[in-house]
Amino acid sequence: MSVYPDVVVVGAGVIGAACAHALTVAGVRVTVLDRGAPASATTASGEGNVLVSDKAPGPELDLAVASRLRWPSLIESLREDLGAGAEIEWEAKGGLVVATTEAAARPLLDFAAAQRSVGVDAREIPAERARDFEPHLTRAVTAAVHYPQDAQLQPVLAACALLAAVRERGGTVRSGVTVSGVDTDATGRVRAVRTSDGEVACGAVINACGPWSGAFSAAAGAPIAILPRRGIVLVTAALPPTIRHKVYDADYVGAVASGDADLQTSSVVESTPAGPVLIGSSRQRVGFTDHLEVKVLRELARKAVALFPILADVPVMRAYGGFRPYAPDHLPVIGPDPRVPGLWHATGHEGAGIGLAAATGRLLAELLTGAEPHLDPTPFRVDRPALMEAA
C-alpha cells in the first residue's frame, strides 16, 4: 500500500507554512503544494506587520494577541530545530500611532481606551512627547499612543523557516505544482487533490491560497467570498537608524476596517535592519490587476513626508505590490467546510496574515486533530453569512 500524506496544504505562503508546521508538530503527515516558489506571492508583498494596535476589541484582536504571544516561542523552536538554517528577522520594536489633526485625536484615544479595556498595552502619551519616541516625526501631532506589543517580522524568512522545519519532520514541500480541484469518495469526503503533476491522495486538504482562495474553494465545490485587495509598498534608499518604531497615522485603522473598493491610503513608515525605510499603505479592490499606478505611489510618498519631513529628500529605490485575501466581514476563515468533508480553510487575513499566522496555524491544527482549541473558533467559521451570501 502506498504511503500518502494525511493532509495536503495548498499554498506555501506564511499561513500555509504555519498550518503545515503546526500539523507536523502534532504528528500529522503533511504535503505542501504551491504553483510558485514558497512565500513568493502575498507573503513576499507584505511589510511583516505583527500588530495589535490596529484591531478593535473582538475576535480578530483576540487572534492577534494570541499570535503575538506565540511568535517569540515559535521562532525560538525554529532556531532549535534548524540551527544555523533558521534565518529569521524579528524586531519587537513597538508601534507608535499618531493623529495629526484635531478631528482625529479623540477617535484615536477612544480606540486605545477600548483596547486597554480588553488587556492591550496601549499607552497614551502627550502629543508634545511624541518626538521623544521619534525625533524626526512631524510637529503636527495632536495625539499619540505607544503600543509596546507591536513587532516586525521578515515574512519570507519566517515562512521559509517554517517550511524547512516541516521538511525536518518528514513533510514534503513541492513548488511548481498547480492544484485544480479535489476528488471525493462515494460519501462526498475528500480523498485526493488534482494537480498538474497528477493526483495526490490525502485525508484532508487545507485551502491556504490567500487571494486565490475564492477560486480554489469554488473548484473544490464549496465557494467562499474571498477577494483580492491590492496593496503597494515603497522602499527607500538605505538610511542610518532614523525611525525607531512602526509608525502610522491614525487613519490607518479606518482604512483597514473599510470595505470600500476604491483606493484608500494611509501613512505607515518603518525602518528595516538593512537600512531602507518601508512606506505604506494602500488598499484597493481592482481584481488581479497588477500594474503600479503612479497616483498611488505619489500619494504614499506625500503622506510619508507629511509624517516624517526628513524623508522629503530620500530617494525611493523601488516599489512592490501584491494581493491580500479580503473577506467581506474582515475576519479570517479558519476551520472545516461542512459542505465538503475533509476540506478546510485558512484564509481571509487580508494584510494581517504575517501577524496572525502563528495563532492561525495552531488553531487549525487543534481543530483538525481534535485538540482543545486555545481560542474560540466560532467567529472564524466558514459557514457564516458574509462568506456564504457573497460567494
Side-chain angles (χ1 to χ4, degrees):
M1 179 180 294
S2 62
V3 176
Y4 59 86
D6 293 328
V7 176
V8 167
V9 178
V10 185
V14 73
I15 294 295
C19 292
H21 180 266
L23 287 166
T24 57
V25 169
V28 178
R29 292 176 298 174
V30 174
T31 290
V32 182
L33 304 176
D34 199 295
R35 64 185 179 184
S40 62
T42 299
T43 296
S45 302
E47 295 175 77
N49 294 334
V50 182
L51 303 182
V52 299
S53 56
D54 63 339
K55 298 169 183 66
E60 188 182 26
L61 179 58
D62 295 341
L63 189 68
V65 170
S67 206
R68 174 59 180 87
L69 290 171
R70 173 78 176 142
W71 265 121
S73 61
L74 180 55
I75 290 169
E76 184 59 33
S77 72
L78 290 171
R79 288 173 173 156
E80 291 174 359
D81 290 344
L82 301 174
E87 185 181 354
I88 302 171
E89 292 180 6
W90 167 263
E91 294 182 273
K93 63 171 69 173
L96 185 68
V97 186
V98 299
T100 54
T101 65
E102 291 298 333
R106 178 45 52 191
L108 170 60
L109 299 180
D110 289 346
F111 187 83
Q115 290 180 307
R116 281 194 297 273
S117 72
V118 294
V120 172
D121 190 356
R123 305 178 185 181
E124 181 180 338
I125 60 175
E128 62 273 13
R129 280 200 56 220
R131 285 169 65 92
D132 294 345
F133 287 77
E134 292 291 345
H136 300 290
L137 191 63
T138 176
R139 295 184 182 277
V141 173
T142 56
V145 181
H146 177 220
Y147 287 89
Q149 291 167 290
D150 281 358
Q152 182 75 11
L153 182 64
Q154 211 293 336
V156 173
L157 294 178
C160 289
L162 289 164
L163 293 172
V166 168
R167 294 188 188 96
E168 285 289 311
R169 287 192 169 84
T172 302
V173 180
R174 295 169 57 189
S175 303
V177 179
T178 299
V179 179
S180 57
V182 304
D183 283 339
T184 57
D185 62 20
T187 69
R189 183 173 187 81
V190 169
R191 68 169 189 81
V193 294
R194 298 189 301 273
T195 84
S196 54
D197 279 357
E199 195 174 81
V200 179
C202 59
V205 58
I206 298 171
N207 173 15
C209 299
W212 299 272
S213 294
F216 178 78
S217 67
I224 56 175
I226 300 296
L227 302 171
R229 201 177 189 193
R230 182 162 173 74
I232 304 293
V233 176
L234 305 181
V235 184
T236 75
L239 300 177
T242 303
I243 299 168
R244 301 171 179 176
H245 304 80
K246 181 183 292 288
V247 184
Y248 62 84
D249 196 295
D251 62 2
Y252 176 78
V253 173
V256 169
S258 172
D260 199 327
D262 294 335
L263 174 65
Q264 298 176 69
T265 60
S266 53
S267 189
V268 183
V269 183
E270 65 187 309
S271 295
T272 64
V277 173
L278 302 182
I279 296 171
S281 73
S282 69
R283 282 171 165 78
Q284 193 176 18
R285 296 224 317 268
V286 291
F288 285 104
T289 301
D290 61 359
H291 66 272
L292 297 178
E293 297 181 84
V294 172
K295 70 175 183 179
V296 179
L297 308 182
R298 186 179 291 124
E299 186 70 2
L300 292 177
R302 183 186 68 80
K303 289 191 172 183
V305 170
L307 203 58
F308 283 97
I310 194 175
L311 296 176
D313 297 322
V314 177
V316 172
M317 304 305 291
R318 66 185 182 96
Y320 63 89
F323 302 103
R324 302 154 178 163
Y326 165 84
D329 58 0
H330 303 284
L331 280 178
V333 191
I334 308 168
D337 196 310
R339 296 167 294 179
V340 180
L343 174 63
W344 294 68
H345 301 279
T347 186
H349 300 75
E350 202 181 326
I354 309 302
L356 301 178
T360 294
R362 180 182 175 187
L363 180 59
L364 186 132
E366 289 165 343
L367 295 172
L368 195 146
T369 61
E372 182 70 24
H374 72 291
L375 284 174
D376 178 8
T378 305
F380 310 112
R381 289 174 59 99
V382 67
D383 55 349
R384 58 188 198 253
L387 295 179
M388 297 291 101
E389 293 169 3

